[in-house]
């Protein structure tokens, strides 16, 4: 998603904010008497959240929830405008990777006093990785709303043919299964697709190899032997032609015809495969990622935050507490297919499906990308270095030394 720098945006919007300041208050409490309007920004379409906000209004007479649905591709710029003008919603849905940037800009309220007041907001209610997405500089600025993670999709019939009916459980098994699948399938067949343009691919394998590539003190470790070992493991799939080196292959079609029997992706692909590949129903499933030292994956999704300039913070916190209730979480899954962040929601029958349950299991060992505002910039260098090694043939240690120096430079700014 294209971003504009804070410097340019603030310079452009300063005059705009002054105009707004002269036009009126940013207080969204627009009603009279005891009536109140709560302004809420959600990403996507309003039909997924309106049924839930209606539930809130029914339980809280006198409160009107004004929902504004914002397309994801324009949401970042709209949030920048809101911050610059100090005029925005009371509650805002935050993509988890945006939290550090907007928290650093002072746009998100510290939720500590509200967590004490509303037990629904307590960290123990949610997956640990999801809780981490709402943390910044020692403060809680976001409450988990929905979650997603990456797991292993595999053709159970083809993996059974090479000795892995339940899918590979370790790095060694993943490599061996890929070699056997290619040997059995012949030319044009691969074991697994590894997305070199996905910023989180290398991170997942690094975490599994036991290395925090950016530590708690903000120091990068991309040239650590464990990180280099993880990259060389992935590189071996390219060297042995166990994964396609191009990006022009249609994963869904290749999964159906068996030329790519494994890939790593999120829960959104379950319905895609069901819709586009009905011919292979019963011949594929999902399992947790193979392990090295652990089988960690990446967590994503969205949090709910209180806009720091809101004058309805108490009502906003009450609303977020309501959205964290099991009934609201299940309703949102019903309207959007987004997985609940609330752990107790997973006791519902809807999540007993083995494929969905695999994602629930993976969420127990999932973690977010580094919660630093520089991560999105560093991630682009991670992708570039990975491609230099796997496609361009660069020496891994040399390239990782360059990446580490680049990360230090970015973090020092």
């Amino acid at each position: 998603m294209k971003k504009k720098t804070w410097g340019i945006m603030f310079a452009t919007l300063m005059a705009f904010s002054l105009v707004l300041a002269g036009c009126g208050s940013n207080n969204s409490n627009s009603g009279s008497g005891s009536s109140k309007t709560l302004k809420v920004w959600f990403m996507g379409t309003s039909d997924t959240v309106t049924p839930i906000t209606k539930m809130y209004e029914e339980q809280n007479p006198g409160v009107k929830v004004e929902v504004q649905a914002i397309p994801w591709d324009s949401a970042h710029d709209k949030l920048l405008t809101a911050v610059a003008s100090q005029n925005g919603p009371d509650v805002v849905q935050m993509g988890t990777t945006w939290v550090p940037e907007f928290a650093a800009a002072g746009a998100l309220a510290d939720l500590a006093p509200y967590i004490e007041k509303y037990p629904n907001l307590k960290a123990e209610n949610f997956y640990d990785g999801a809780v981490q997405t709402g943390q910044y500089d020692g403060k809680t600025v976001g409450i988990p709303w929905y979650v997603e993670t990456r797991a292993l999709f595999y053709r159970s019939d083809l993996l059974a043919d090479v000795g892995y009916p339940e899918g590979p459980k370790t790095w060694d098994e993943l490599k061996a299964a890929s070699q056997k699948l290619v040997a059995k399938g012949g030319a044009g067949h691969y074991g697994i697709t590894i997305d070199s343009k996905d910023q989180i691919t290398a991170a997942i394998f690094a975490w599994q190899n036991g290395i925090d590539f950016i530590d708690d003190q903000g120091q990068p470790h991309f040239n650590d032997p464990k990180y280099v070992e993880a990259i060389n493991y992935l590189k071996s799939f390219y060297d042995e032609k166990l994964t396609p080196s191009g990006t022009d292959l249609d994963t869904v079609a290749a999964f159906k015809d068996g030329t790519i029997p494994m890939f790593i992706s999120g829960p959104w692909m379950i319905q895609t495969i069901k819709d586009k590949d009905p011919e292979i129903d019963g011949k594929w499933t999902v399992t947790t990622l193979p392990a090295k030292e652990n089988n960690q994956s990446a967590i994503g999704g969205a949090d709910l935050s209180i806009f720091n300039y809101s004058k309805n913070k108490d009502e906003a916190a009450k609303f977020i507490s309501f959205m964290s209730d099991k009934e609201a979480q299940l309703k949102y899954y019903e309207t959007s297919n987004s997985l609940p962040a609330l752990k107790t929601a997973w006791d519902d029958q809807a999540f007993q499906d083995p494929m969905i349950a695999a994602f629930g299991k993976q969420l127990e060992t999932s973690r977010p990308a580094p919660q630093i505002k520089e991560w999105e910039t560093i991630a682009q260098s991670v992708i570039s270095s990975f491609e230099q090694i796997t496609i361009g043939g660069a020496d891994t240690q040399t390239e990782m030394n360059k990446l580490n120096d680049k990360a230090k430079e970015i973090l020092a700014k």
Side-chain angles (χ1 to χ4, degrees):
M1 189 172 293
K2 185 178 181 181
K3 296 181 180 179
K4 298 174 181 176
T5 65
W6 282 98
I8 294 173
M9 287 300 297
F10 276 118
T12 303
L13 293 166
M14 185 55 70
F16 175 60
S17 64
L18 293 173
V19 171
L20 285 175
C23 289
S25 168
N26 62 7
N27 186 357
S28 62
N29 187 350
S30 59
S32 60
S34 60
S35 64
K36 182 179 294 183
T37 297
L38 192 69
K39 295 171 65 176
V40 182
W41 285 5
F42 279 101
M43 313 312 164
T45 58
S46 61
D47 58 331
T48 60
V49 295
T50 299
I52 310 172
T53 59
K54 294 296 183 187
M55 292 162 54
Y56 185 79
E57 290 176 338
E58 290 171 3
Q59 295 181 25
N60 295 274
V63 178
K64 176 177 174 53
V65 181
E66 183 179 285
V67 175
Q68 184 170 355
I70 306 170
W72 275 106
D73 58 1
S74 61
H76 188 271
D77 283 354
K78 189 170 180 66
L79 284 168
L80 287 177
T81 302
V83 175
S85 65
Q86 300 185 7
N87 191 311
D90 299 301
V91 176
V92 59
Q93 177 185 333
M94 294 294 301
T96 54
T97 58
W98 294 354
V99 170
E101 178 187 6
F102 286 95
L108 309 180
D110 182 359
L111 302 179
Y114 306 108
I115 294 173
E116 289 297 317
K117 185 175 182 179
Y118 297 105
N120 274 359
L121 306 183
K122 290 186 178 297
E124 59 261 36
N125 297 326
F126 307 99
Y127 288 101
D128 290 344
V131 172
Q132 293 173 40
T133 67
Q135 307 287 317
Y136 184 79
D137 198 22
K139 297 178 181 177
T140 298
V141 296
I143 300 298
W145 167 227
Y146 70 83
V147 291
E148 59 191 26
T149 187
R150 312 292 177 89
L152 182 69
F153 289 72
Y154 71 99
R155 284 285 300 269
S156 51
D157 56 341
L158 301 180
L159 269 293
D161 287 345
V162 295
Y164 302 94
E166 296 180 354
K169 300 301 182 188
T170 67
W171 277 22
D172 287 344
E173 289 188 2
L174 179 63
K175 185 69 172 293
S178 297
Q179 291 169 333
K180 292 175 181 177
L181 286 164
V182 171
K184 185 177 178 64
H189 285 72
Y190 303 95
I192 186 172
T193 181
I194 297 172
D195 188 353
S196 63
K197 294 188 179 300
D198 186 346
Q199 63 173 255
I200 212 65
T201 298
I204 288 173
F205 283 85
W207 290 330
Q208 291 179 356
N209 206 33
I211 177 68
D212 279 330
F213 46 88
I214 296 179
D215 64 25
D216 293 341
Q217 286 71 49
Q219 294 301 308
H221 299 283
F222 291 105
N223 57 353
D224 183 280
K226 283 184 172 291
Y227 192 91
V228 172
E229 182 184 31
I231 297 301
N232 277 333
Y233 175 73
L234 294 172
K235 178 177 181 290
S236 71
F237 285 78
Y238 289 84
D239 292 344
E240 298 179 36
K241 302 189 185 309
L242 304 178
T243 189
S245 58
T247 58
D248 55 341
L249 275 178
D250 182 337
T251 299
V252 176
F255 193 59
K256 180 174 68 176
D257 65 26
T259 52
I260 297 180
M262 295 187 286
F263 66 91
I264 295 170
S265 191
W268 55 86
M269 285 299 290
I270 293 177
Q271 196 59 48
T272 298
I273 298 295
K274 287 181 176 179
D275 290 343
K276 294 188 175 181
D277 296 345
E279 301 90 342
I280 58 172
D281 279 354
K283 297 179 179 179
W284 64 279
T285 189
V286 182
T287 189
T288 53
L289 295 180
K292 181 68 180 309
E293 293 188 11
N294 60 67
N295 78 329
Q296 291 181 354
S297 186
I299 197 168
D303 297 337
L304 294 179
S305 298
I306 298 177
F307 196 57
N308 211 16
Y309 305 104
S310 167
K311 294 186 177 178
N312 284 327
K313 287 189 175 69
D314 289 339
E315 190 68 38
K318 184 179 180 182
F319 176 77
I320 294 176
S321 175
F322 172 83
M323 299 297 273
S324 303
D325 191 75
K326 185 175 181 178
E327 183 181 8
Q329 291 265 303
L330 291 176
K331 188 66 176 179
Y332 190 59
Y333 176 71
E334 178 185 323
T335 59
S336 71
N337 274 334
S338 297
L339 300 178
L342 184 72
K343 288 188 290 189
T344 57
W346 285 78
D347 297 333
D348 190 85
Q349 186 63 32
F351 304 103
Q352 303 311 304
D353 177 277
M355 294 187 196
I356 299 294
F359 281 100
K361 184 67 176 175
Q362 187 69 69
L363 283 165
E364 295 174 2
T365 56
S366 295
R367 57 186 291 180
Q371 292 300 95
I372 55 175
K373 59 184 174 59
E374 298 89 352
W375 170 244
E376 291 294 318
T377 303
I378 293 174
Q380 297 308 308
S381 296
V382 170
I383 293 171
S384 177
S385 291
F386 190 68
E387 290 184 317
Q388 286 294 323
I389 293 166
T390 57
I391 309 297
D395 175 72
T396 304
Q397 186 65 64
T398 301
E399 194 63 29
M400 289 301 97
N401 289 340
K402 292 179 182 177
L403 174 60
N404 208 62
D405 290 343
K406 181 67 174 177
K408 283 183 177 178
E409 179 184 327
I410 294 170
L411 290 165
K413 288 181 179 176

